[in-house]
């Protein structure tokens, strides 16, 4: 990292150097001339988008595969200030009882798994959902005709039931339906994982992009630094906290639930060893997917590294909180923390600070909105929404 001027007095303290913290710091430094100290408890910047070259020279994303995608030209252009892109369209296959089929489930998946009935089912789908590109599997399972309801059940069983139970550590019925809606059924042969106009991976990796975002004379960065301690040392600095919101308040209403992951890396033998960048395993094996990192490099590499992804219970201090687990109890608990947060004057953001399942473009968008509220004296739209709900 380039040497930075360390400011003795900072206008802002940003806890967490992931996409949210870095983007916010950049906006404040650049647009308000604020001096910002960004601290992170880890020994690297970038939060969960951190990547680095491993011993085989393969760029590996240490916290799981991240593929940038957005429909927002504005957000894509913003990040393009900090990186060149490898334009990459993500495709995923699932191993269903030994047959590899596209996920999201599409017409190719139908042809492969139900060859006898595929034509009739495609026609029925197009008639039942005219002009619709993708539908949630739950909607299919509630379709008007028994034929389509049965198909919905079939897809749920083949692709979602085991995978979701493994991923979330609870039966599919107890998982927030919006989580499954992220991977709807595609009513065509389109086999892209995302349909967004902008899909890409930073050509030099995510870490280099975040480094460029933070590379501003008014921003200093301190790694392996505890955010709460730093906050106490700097009572005059305003604070953006992208760590866990419950930890900020010493867990006074209880611990918000998270799901964790364990990654097992193994050497591959050749470039693009797997038939797709990600192969999902919706069966009974304990891992959910295998990632072939060589797909994410702009240039062919001599070999590859494969990562097996194992979902795991989250245990504070033992592993990383990756996914907020959203249900009625955790939402009610989060609302109490959010109400407390509104009264502190501290800003919260990111997956952990907002207790939300953000994609990268959403994290960047949220950080810019937060910066906007500070720069232009507007209230945080989330706070306004909450106060309207409370007074209703
Ligand atoms: N999912 C599934 N089978 C798949 C892919 C996804 O059951 O083959 C479900 C699973 O519950 C997962 C959710 O859909 O948590 C969202 O998938 P996504 O790929 O968006 O998860 P992420 O990449 O964020 O882990």
């Amino acid at each position: 990292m380039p040497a930075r001027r360390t400011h003795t007095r900072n206008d802002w303290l940003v806890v967490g150097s992931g996409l949210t913290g870095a983007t916010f710091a950049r906006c404040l430094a650049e647009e308000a001339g604020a001096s910002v100290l960004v601290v992170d408890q880890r020994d690297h910047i970038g939060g969960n988008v951190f990547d680095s070259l491993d011993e085989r020279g393969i760029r590996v994303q240490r916290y799981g595969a991240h593929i940038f995608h957005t429909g927002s030209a504005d957000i894509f252009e913003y990040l393009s200030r900090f990186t060149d892109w490898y334009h990459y369209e993500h495709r995923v296959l699932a191993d269903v009882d030994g047959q590899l089929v596209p996920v999201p489930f599409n017409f190719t998946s139908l042809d492969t798994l139900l060859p006898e009935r595929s034509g009739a089912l495609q026609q029925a789908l197009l008639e039942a959902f005219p002009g619709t590109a993708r539908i949630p599997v739950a909607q299919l399972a509630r379709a008007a005709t028994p034929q389509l309801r049965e198909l919905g059940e079939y897809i749920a069983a083949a692709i979602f039931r085991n995978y979701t139970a493994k991923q979330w550590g609870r039966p599919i019925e107890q998982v927030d339906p919006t989580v499954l809606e992220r991977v709807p059924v595609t009513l065509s042969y389109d086999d892209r994982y995302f349909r967004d106009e902008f899909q890409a991976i930073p050509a030099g990796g995510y870490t280099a992009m975040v480094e460029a975002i933070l590379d501003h004379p008014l921003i200093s960065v301190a790694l392996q630094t505890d955010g709460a301690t730093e906050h106490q040392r700097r009572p005059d600095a305003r604070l953006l906290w992208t760590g866990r919101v419950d930890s900020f308040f010493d867990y006074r209403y209880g611990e918000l639930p998270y799901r964790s992951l364990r990654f097992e890396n193994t050497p591959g033998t050749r470039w693009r060893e797997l038939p797709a960048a990600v192969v999902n395993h919706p069966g009974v094996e304990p891992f959910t997917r295998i990632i072939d990192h060589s797909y994410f490099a702009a240039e062919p590499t001599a070999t590859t590294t494969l990562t097996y992804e194992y979902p795991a219970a989250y245990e504070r201090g033992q592993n990383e909180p990756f996914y907020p687990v959203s249900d009625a109890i955790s939402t009610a608990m989060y609302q109490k923390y959010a109400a407390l947060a509104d009264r502190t004057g501290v800003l919260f953001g990111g997956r952990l600070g907002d207790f939300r399942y953000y994609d990268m473009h959403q994290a960047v968008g949220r950080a810019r909105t937060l910066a906007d509220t500070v720069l232009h004296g507007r209230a945080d739209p989330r706070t306004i929404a909450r106060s309207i709900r409370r007074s209703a």
Side-chain angles (χ1 to χ4, degrees), residues 163-184:
Y163 187 109
T164 298
K166 291 190 286 190
Q167 172 69 20
W168 295 95
R170 50 176 72 188
I172 192 167
E173 294 75 20
Q174 291 172 27
V175 172
D176 180 348
T178 62
V179 168
L180 304 179
E181 286 169 16
R182 292 167 60 88
V183 188

Side-chain angles (χ1 to χ4, degrees), residues 249-302:
F249 293 111
D250 286 329
Y251 308 99
R252 78 172 70 166
Y253 300 129
E255 278 198 49
L256 290 166
Y258 289 90
R259 194 73 179 146
S260 190
L261 297 170
R262 183 171 63 82
F263 299 103
E264 242 176 55
N265 292 346
T266 63
T269 53
R270 60 175 195 279
W271 182 64
R272 299 200 170 177
E273 178 159 331
L274 296 186
V278 175
V279 177
N280 286 358
H281 284 262
V284 293
E285 49 284 77
F287 52 90
T288 48
R289 52 190 170 190
I290 312 174
I291 297 157
D292 181 337
H293 292 274
S294 63
Y295 279 87
F296 306 137
E299 302 293 332
T301 44

Side-chain angles (χ1 to χ4, degrees), residues 11 91 124-126 153 176 197 249 253 296-297 300 307 309 361:
D11 302 318
R91 287 178 172 77
L125 284 165
L126 295 174
E153 293 301 335
D176 180 348
E197 185 179 349
F249 293 111
Y253 300 129
F296 306 137
T307 300
E309 201 170 302
H361 64 290

